[in-house]
Amino acid sequence: MRLKKKTRENLAGYLFILPNLLGFSIFILFSLLFSLVLIFTNWDYLEGVKGLVFIGLNNVKRLIHDETVLINAVLQVCHANDAGDDGQKPRDDLTEVDSSVSYYFLW
């Protein structure tokens, strides 16, 4: 069975992008979807998939009321604001290094 030239070109194009699509599907799409599943479940990973127990938004409620999460969020925002003043040149003083060290120490 002989394929048309246009069909062969399309097939060749799909074969060229197949590794990229597989990598995206495995490493990005699967990870994203599994993270969404984990938000709504309590997982005992030693039991495998059988250990997934649906708990709704209880994980989100725990995160909102946990003060260490709030402290880390504030530190991340402060560190992001301190990371680059104008984007052109690095700072000469040590304040940026000091904030980075304190951030990672507290993390």
Side-chain angles (χ1 to χ4, degrees):
M1 184 164 111
R2 187 140 168 107
L3 298 175
K4 294 180 184 178
K5 183 177 181 181
K6 182 75 173 171
T7 305
R8 282 185 290 161
E9 288 177 358
N10 288 341
L11 183 62
Y14 288 129
L15 288 175
F16 274 111
I17 64 170
L18 183 65
N20 193 13
L21 288 175
L22 286 174
F24 174 79
S25 299
I26 292 170
F27 295 110
I28 304 295
L29 198 59
F30 175 74
S31 299
L32 179 69
L33 293 176
F34 194 66
S35 296
L36 289 174
V37 168
L38 290 178
I39 288 173
F40 301 108
T41 59
N42 187 11
W43 185 29
D44 182 11
Y45 57 89
L46 294 175
E47 293 183 22
V49 180
K50 295 177 186 176
L52 287 171
V53 177
F54 180 76
I55 60 170
L57 292 174
N58 287 343
N59 286 337
V60 178
K61 289 178 189 174
R62 273 192 356 209
L63 282 175
I64 290 172
H65 297 296
D66 189 4
E67 62 185 47
T68 55
V69 173
L70 177 65
I71 290 170
N72 284 328
V74 169
L75 286 173
Q76 285 181 357
V77 168
C78 292
H79 181 70
N81 287 337
D82 190 35
D85 292 329
D86 57 0
Q88 298 293 325
K89 57 182 179 173
R91 294 170 59 177
D92 292 332
D93 57 352
L94 295 177
T95 57
E96 184 173 347
V97 174
D98 291 341
S99 66
S100 298
V101 170
S102 64
Y103 168 75
Y104 291 114
F105 179 76
L106 288 173
W107 182 259

